[in-house]
Amino acid sequence: GAGVSQSPSNKVTEKGKDVELRCDPISGHTALYWYRQSLGQGLEFLIYFQGNSAPDKSGLPSDRFSAERTGGSVSTLTIQRTQQEDSAVYLCASSLARGPYEQYFGPGTRLTVT
Amino acid sequence: GESVGLHLPTLSVQEGDNSIINCAYSNSASDYFIWYKQESGKGPQFIIDIRSNMDKRQGQRVTVLLNKTVKHLSLQIAATQPGDSAVYFCAENLKTGANNLFFGTGTRLTVIP
């Protein structure tokens, strides 16, 4: 079956512009996660969706970051008024329901803010 | 902040030798631990996981050991191959039953042919 997919694979934007990053989780996975990975660094947790529950937003670095998950499937991470420090790879993962279980990662979106 | 850390940022091993990658954690409430492998330009790939009610788990060529007394996690790779060269991350869930993971900074494993 298909794995986690993300789009676009690369995004270059100018400082101050808004960007939207998309994640399609594995079918049947009700948990969805967003992480950020700066160059040569580990993964930083951003936000977590589980079914219809309120998302865990505790990792979002500022109010410029937000995420939605429509219909319990596709998710969009939005960064408003992008800054150069937002440049990173944004990774999405999904997993089975109540766990914890292993998370399956997508290939990521490389965001560059110029 | 993250409580997961690694003793060695880089590790070089000869092809065919065994590799051991270590990880320290400080949160005794964590009950789920996992190792990922990340190759350049790719997302992390699941290797093996372990729950806190176990102290050892084996997979294909890999073994994870959990020592809750000293809050230590290790990944052992048997007969290391060039394809094992990557960055390895450990992660924990920080809270009993929690799904979201918190990652360490990673160890780069280089296999010398």
Side-chain angles (χ1 to χ4, degrees), chain A residues 40-61:
Chain A
Q41 300 296 311
L43 280 71
E44 176 189 3
F45 166 73
L46 297 177
I47 188 169
Y48 156 53
F49 295 89
Q50 172 61 62
N52 295 321
S53 302
D56 177 350
K57 304 179 183 180
S58 60
L60 295 178

Side-chain angles (χ1 to χ4, degrees), chain A residues 35-45 88-89 91, chain B residues 2 6 38 44 87-90 102-107:
Chain A
Y35 295 87
R36 177 169 70 175
Q37 186 174 32
S38 300
L39 186 63
Q41 300 296 311
L43 280 71
E44 176 189 3
F45 166 73
V89 175
L91 290 158
Chain B
E2 295 181 356
L6 293 171
Q38 187 175 29
V87 177
Y88 290 80
F89 294 96
C90 65
F102 293 86
F103 286 75
T105 53
T107 292

Side-chain angles (χ1 to χ4, degrees), chain A residues 31 33 35 37 41-45 48 50 56 91 96-103 105-107, chain B residues 2 31-32 34 36 38 41-44 46 49 51 89 93 97-105:
Chain A
Y33 313 79
Y35 295 87
Q37 186 174 32
Q41 300 296 311
L43 280 71
E44 176 189 3
F45 166 73
Y48 156 53
Q50 172 61 62
D56 177 350
L91 290 158
L96 291 169
R98 304 280 172 196
Y101 294 103
E102 62 267 28
Q103 298 176 18
F105 283 82
Chain B
E2 295 181 356
D31 66 350
Y32 181 70
I34 190 166
Y36 282 93
Q38 187 175 29
K42 298 183 179 179
F46 169 79
D49 59 0
R51 298 181 190 275
F89 294 96
N93 63 348
N99 283 18
N100 46 329
L101 298 173
F102 293 86
F103 286 75
T105 53

Side-chain angles (χ1 to χ4, degrees), chain A residues 18-98:
Chain A
D18 298 350
V19 294
E20 287 188 350
L21 312 179
R22 177 187 168 104
C23 172
D24 283 271
I26 293 173
S27 178
H29 282 190
T30 60
L32 186 147
Y33 313 79
W34 283 98
Y35 295 87
R36 177 169 70 175
Q37 186 174 32
S38 300
L39 186 63
Q41 300 296 311
L43 280 71
E44 176 189 3
F45 166 73
L46 297 177
I47 188 169
Y48 156 53
F49 295 89
Q50 172 61 62
N52 295 321
S53 302
D56 177 350
K57 304 179 183 180
S58 60
L60 295 178
S62 77
D63 58 8
R64 296 185 297 104
F65 288 73
S66 63
E68 290 184 338
R69 190 176 185 194
T70 55
S73 181
V74 172
S75 178
T76 301
L77 177 69
T78 301
I79 308 174
Q80 296 178 310
R81 305 180 302 281
T82 52
Q83 304 295 312
Q84 288 186 330
E85 59 263 30
D86 299 334
S87 296
V89 175
Y90 288 82
L91 290 158
C92 174
S94 70
S95 73
L96 291 169
R98 304 280 172 196

